[in-house]
Amino acid sequence: MDYAIKILELERISIISALKNGQNEQLQELQQLDKALKWLHLLQDKKVDNAGRYNFEPLPFVEGYGGFTNYRIMIDKETEDVSLWEEYKKTDGSCFLLEPGDFILEAK
């Protein structure tokens, strides 16, 4: 991924130079390039390497529960008894409150 990031960063320098020379039509390309670089840096920082090993699963709107329903991540403790389940907490002690439209990144 380092190679791709370096290539895009060189292209970014080229576009910025063109913009400084009045080629304003390249502003949209710069914005797209910046967005791509942010994604690549995020994936690299989180060590998400091969896209084929992952699945983005969108959380759907749940019919019949209104618009304020959240998804929560539970630790099931290998039991079907829901009363024994525990909500997963982040390192800061807060819980994930996922909403319809959020994504789960699942490793295959």
Side-chain angles (χ1 to χ4, degrees):
M1 203 161 327
D2 286 333
Y3 176 75
I5 289 172
K6 286 177 188 174
I7 294 293
L8 292 178
E9 286 174 343
L10 288 172
E11 181 63 19
R12 187 178 189 281
I13 291 168
S14 173
I15 290 173
I16 289 172
S17 177
L19 286 169
K20 287 179 180 178
N21 291 326
Q23 297 177 18
N24 295 333
E25 67 277 356
Q26 292 199 325
L27 181 58
Q28 187 175 9
E29 283 85 359
L30 179 63
Q31 291 168 337
Q32 291 178 16
L33 193 58
D34 284 344
K35 190 185 299 185
L37 279 166
K38 286 179 186 177
W39 272 109
L40 288 175
H41 282 292
L42 174 67
L43 294 172
Q44 185 178 47
D45 291 347
K46 299 297 181 182
K47 296 179 179 30
V48 177
D49 56 355
N50 184 351
R53 291 187 48 226
Y54 297 91
N55 178 42
F56 275 94
E57 186 67 34
L59 295 173
F61 178 78
V62 180
E63 295 290 333
Y65 291 102
F68 300 104
T69 300
N70 292 315
Y71 289 90
R72 297 173 182 260
I73 299 174
M74 304 300 288
I75 302 167
D76 69 7
K77 299 181 182 179
E78 297 184 16
T79 178
E80 296 298 319
D81 185 352
V82 177
S83 68
L84 297 175
W85 290 9
E86 181 180 325
E87 190 166 7
Y88 174 78
K89 294 188 180 353
K90 298 186 253 185
T91 54
D92 67 2
S94 66
C95 298
F96 283 101
L97 287 178
L98 303 170
E99 299 179 358
D102 287 346
F103 286 87
I104 295 174
L105 176 62
E106 176 185 33
K108 294 180 186 178

